[in-house]
Amino acid sequence: MAPDIEYGAMAFSVPMPCERCGSIRTLPMKFDFFVDSINPDKPLERQLRDYAMYKDIWGKQGSNSYMGQDTPDGQYRIGMEYLDDSFHGSDVAFYWLMKAAKRGHVQAQYQVGRLLRHRPPVPKYLQNPPFCYTEGTAYQWMAQAAEQGLPEAMCGLGNMYCVGDVIEKNPEKAFAWHLKAAMSGCAASEYAIACLYEQGQGVEQNTFKALRWCWKAALHGYAEAQLRLGIVYESTGKERYFHTAATFYQQAAQQNMVEAWLRLAALYEARKSEQNLQKAWECYVNAWEAGDENAYQEAKRLVDEGLANPDASTLMAWYRKCIERGHKEVWYDLGKIYHEGRGVERNLQEARQCYLFAARTSHVPEAQFALGRMYEQGEGIQPDLQKAIRWYKEAANQGHTEAQVACRRLKVYEPREGFDTWQQLALLYEVGKGEQDLQKLWECYLNAWEAGNENVYQEAKRLLDEGWVKLDASTLMEWYRKCIAHGHREAWYDLGKIYHEGRGVERNLQEARQCYLFAARTSHVPEAQFALGRMYEQGEGIQPDLQKAVRWYKEAAKQGHTEAQAACWRLEDGDD
């Protein structure tokens, strides 16, 4: 390899044997250093790639890795060694496989056909010696190997006829070649025949034969056939086929099929025993490790909801894998294990470090709140109210309710953007020193709500429902009507109660029933449904009607209303 200067660039004259005629030719290998000014059409990265390929082919001649390079078997072995190299290996592999293929090596002919079929358009420099990608087509090389009886080549040829990408589509020939390959023990062709029978392509449609061929492929370990049979057995919906479907899914999943892991997880999760939920979690983890990021959320959901309970070492190992793959929020979950001492010795220092990572890298509000509490209570560290306040504020600004309560308690709560003056004043009354003025607090919530802040509606209603605030009937009824006008239809029930009980107004059972009906029909309020049932049963302001009473009791009972459930049992026992 001799350097010389050519066209203002460094070049190497490399002796290469021509693949077409066998003669030794000197080929220039240009290595450009000033790409932008001298050769803008050929990037430096490509030149480095070219140089590396030539070096791999010729620079190692005579080394131990190139033993047997003069025999077809040796050339095939060297080509296969390079085939998995992601940088430039497929091109170098093709050089050696082509040499072996030309000398009749059947496996090399199959690999050359496969490479020609699946690689992108061939660059011009690869069409010349020493690579010569243009010598023969994918179909020609695959056909040569198939005619010599290689099952993989016969399957590949069948796929070509089935797909029609490199040769005219011909389902009949596709079936014939797949049948030959299947008779030679090719599981992929057995599954292809099953698909052809199912679709009626190249052969008469026959579901029974399709299933039989699918069974053959599955028994020979073909993952797609195993997955398909699992789907077939699961789709029956019969419990006796559960284990059969699970077995096929497991077999396919062991070959790293993500869909099989996900289907197996769903199959186990549908049967909500503790053992099955644990298996579902393991399947989701395996699917995630196989490359499905959505499976991470499912696995984490099972753990967060307490449905799956892996041991501490397994869970911590998984959390660390999650962190390595970019899920920084999991630092919080890891911190909780150390903080609570679940399955490991309690370590507050380690917990605090984990919380810090989660709070700083992913802004997890739960981690921020946990840090605030640790600094406030001095857990594993000297108490520091200023730091506690800072972390509470961070969590509160993301809507963390416990952090907001802590801020109010410490008189440092600064609401998020959009909180109005009335809401801030309400918080001041709620946490102010001395006697709490709950009446003024409710009025502040009311003003904030009327100003358009819907978030405080529940707080105002809570004060009324729990009896902390007492209002005169006219004020209370006026507020309930405003709530209804704002779309809170459940307030019809509260308005009905005032008429029903005659609180501050004349008792009016007809008006009460109308209010209950609105609440029951528009918002399905179980208390309103139960009140209607009782009115129809006892004949309050209306003729008694047990059928309507039972109907309304049942509606309330469906939503978990215990008194309505008791009424249903009582009336059913009475009918007996």
Side-chain angles (χ1 to χ4, degrees):
M1 188 176 296
D4 65 46
I5 303 298
E6 181 181 357
Y7 305 116
M10 180 65 70
F12 293 93
S13 298
V14 184
M16 295 281 187
C18 179
E19 291 296 322
R20 293 191 177 92
C21 63
S23 62
I24 300 297
R25 300 176 60 185
T26 300
L27 302 176
M29 172 58 209
K30 289 195 290 184
F31 189 62
D32 299 342
F33 290 99
F34 306 102
V35 178
D36 293 335
S37 60
I38 294 179
N39 197 351
D41 296 328
K42 190 174 183 183
L44 180 61
E45 181 182 355
R46 170 55 61 83
Q47 297 173 57
L48 290 169
R49 173 189 171 97
D50 292 349
Y51 176 72
M53 286 191 294
Y54 280 91
K55 184 178 177 182
D56 268 333
I57 293 176
W58 298 105
K60 297 180 181 178
Q61 296 277 3
S63 64
N64 290 335
S65 62
Y66 276 59
M67 293 294 290
Q69 61 187 358
D70 294 330
T71 66
D73 286 339
Q75 292 163 349
Y76 172 73
R77 177 182 58 79
I78 295 170
M80 294 305 292
E81 287 176 1
Y82 275 104
L83 201 56
D84 296 331
D85 189 342
S86 60
F87 179 56
H88 58 268
S90 63
D91 295 328
V92 178
F94 188 86
Y95 168 79
W96 291 105
L97 291 171
M98 176 66 83
K99 288 175 72 72
K102 287 180 178 180
R103 299 176 67 178
H105 195 285
V106 63
Q107 287 281 0
Q109 291 170 346
Y110 164 68
Q111 292 294 343
V112 167
R114 189 177 65 83
L115 286 171
L116 285 172
R117 183 185 181 195
H118 295 294
R119 70 165 290 122
V122 180
K124 188 175 181 180
Y125 76 99
L126 290 176
Q127 299 178 19
N128 300 317
F131 299 106
C132 304
Y133 263 62
T134 55
E135 293 192 9
T137 64
Y139 170 76
Q140 289 170 343
W141 287 111
M142 194 70 74
Q144 282 189 43
E147 287 166 0
Q148 296 181 63
L150 186 67
E152 300 97 307
M154 291 188 284
C155 177
L157 198 58
N159 289 335
M160 287 182 181
Y161 278 118
C162 190
V163 176
D165 53 349
V166 296
I167 194 171
E168 186 178 354
K169 188 174 182 179
N170 191 324
E172 289 76 15
K173 287 187 178 181
F175 181 82
W177 279 110
H178 277 307
L179 188 59
K180 287 181 181 180
M183 293 304 177
S184 300
C186 180
S189 283
E190 290 173 341
Y191 180 66
I193 291 172
C195 295
L196 291 171
Y197 268 120
E198 183 184 22
Q199 298 165 9
Q201 292 188 13
V203 68
E204 185 179 351
Q205 189 175 20
N206 190 317
T207 305
F208 175 75
K209 288 185 178 180
L211 189 60
R212 189 179 68 180
W213 279 104
C214 195
W215 260 97
K216 285 185 178 181
L219 292 177
H220 288 148
Y222 194 67
E224 290 187 36
Q226 293 164 343
L227 175 64
R228 186 64 178 275
L229 284 177
I231 295 172
V232 169
Y233 279 104
E234 183 186 4
S235 64
T236 62
K238 296 180 180 178
E239 186 64 27
R240 67 176 181 269
Y241 291 137
F242 164 74
H243 292 293
T244 307
T247 300
F248 280 119
Y249 284 149
Q250 285 171 344
Q251 292 173 354
Q254 292 303 321
Q255 299 183 60
N256 223 29
M257 284 201 75
V258 172
E259 186 181 353
W261 283 121
L262 294 174
R263 286 185 173 275
L264 186 59
L267 198 64
Y268 281 128
E269 192 174 356
R271 288 151 179 80
K272 296 185 180 295
S273 69
E274 182 178 351
Q275 184 179 5
N276 284 332
L277 288 170
Q278 186 65 29
K279 289 181 178 179
W281 179 80
E282 292 170 1
C283 291
Y284 282 131
V285 170
N286 286 324
W288 172 69
E289 290 179 346
D292 190 306
E293 281 299 319
N294 294 328
Y296 159 77
Q297 296 294 342
E298 295 299 321
K300 194 168 187 303
R301 173 181 58 82
L302 290 179
V303 173
D304 291 345
E305 294 178 2
L307 299 175
N309 297 290
D311 60 81
S313 59
T314 302
L315 189 58
M316 290 173 73
W318 183 62
Y319 282 154
R320 293 193 184 278
K321 283 184 182 179
C322 294
I323 292 165
E324 289 173 5
R325 289 177 60 169
H327 297 285
K328 305 299 183 185
E329 70 278 4
V330 179
W331 278 115
Y332 167 69
D333 302 281
L334 192 60
K336 278 181 67 179
I337 293 177
Y338 284 116
H339 198 168
E340 299 169 4
R342 285 186 285 154
V344 295
E345 185 178 355
R346 194 175 187 220
N347 190 331
L348 294 178
Q349 296 298 326
E350 196 69 31
R352 187 171 65 87
Q353 287 299 320
C354 292
Y355 290 151
L356 278 169
F357 286 137
R360 288 173 176 169
T361 61
S362 295
H363 308 288
V364 179
E366 292 81 5
Q368 294 165 341
F369 172 73
L371 283 168
R373 189 170 52 188
M374 291 183 82
Y375 277 114
E376 181 187 1
Q377 299 176 2
E379 289 187 277
I381 196 171
Q382 286 295 319
D384 190 329
L385 278 182
Q386 286 187 337
K387 289 184 178 179
I389 289 167
R390 191 190 77 186
W391 285 115
Y392 281 147
K393 283 182 179 180
E394 291 289 333
N397 288 336
Q398 295 192 68
H400 194 284
T401 53
E402 291 181 85
Q404 291 169 353
V405 171
C407 286
R408 297 172 203 169
R409 175 169 45 79
L410 296 172
K411 291 253 340 175
V412 297
Y413 183 69
E414 294 180 7
R416 292 171 292 176
E417 183 178 356
F419 274 37
D420 52 41
T421 305
W422 285 113
Q423 193 170 1
Q424 295 181 48
L425 188 59
L427 295 172
L428 183 61
Y429 279 122
E430 187 172 355
V431 300
K433 293 180 180 179
E435 185 177 354
Q436 294 184 357
D437 191 344
L438 292 174
Q439 185 70 29
K440 290 183 178 179
L441 170 63
W442 184 85
E443 291 172 0
C444 290
Y445 280 139
L446 175 62
N447 288 320
W449 176 68
E450 288 180 344
N453 192 332
E454 284 293 328
N455 296 326
V456 299
Y457 165 77
Q458 293 296 339
E459 292 295 321
K461 194 169 187 302
R462 174 181 60 82
L463 292 175
L464 289 172
D465 293 344
E466 294 177 4
W468 295 105
V469 175
K470 303 294 183 182
L471 300 176
D472 62 271
S474 60
T475 303
L476 190 57
M477 291 174 71
E478 181 184 357
W479 186 66
Y480 283 146
R481 293 191 184 279
K482 285 182 179 179
C483 293
I484 293 166
H486 275 70
H488 297 285
R489 306 298 182 190
E490 68 276 8
W492 277 113
Y493 168 69
D494 301 285
L495 191 60
K497 278 181 67 178
I498 294 175
Y499 284 115
H500 197 168
E501 298 168 5
R503 283 186 287 154
V505 296
E506 186 179 353
R507 194 178 188 214
N508 190 331
L509 295 178
Q510 297 297 327
E511 194 68 32
R513 188 170 65 86
Q514 287 299 321
C515 292
Y516 289 152
L517 278 170
F518 285 134
R521 288 174 175 169
T522 60
S523 296
H524 308 288
V525 179
E527 291 81 4
Q529 294 165 340
F530 172 74
L532 284 168
R534 189 169 54 188
M535 291 183 81
Y536 277 113
E537 181 185 5
Q538 298 177 2
E540 290 184 87
I542 197 172
Q543 286 294 319
D545 190 331
L546 281 181
Q547 286 185 339
K548 289 185 178 180
V550 169
R551 191 190 77 184
W552 284 114
Y553 281 147
K554 285 183 177 180
E555 290 291 329
K558 287 178 185 177
Q559 297 189 66
H561 195 284
T562 54
E563 292 181 82
Q565 292 169 350
C568 288
W569 296 332
R570 173 171 50 78
L571 292 177
E572 287 172 359
D573 289 340
D575 292 341
D576 293 338

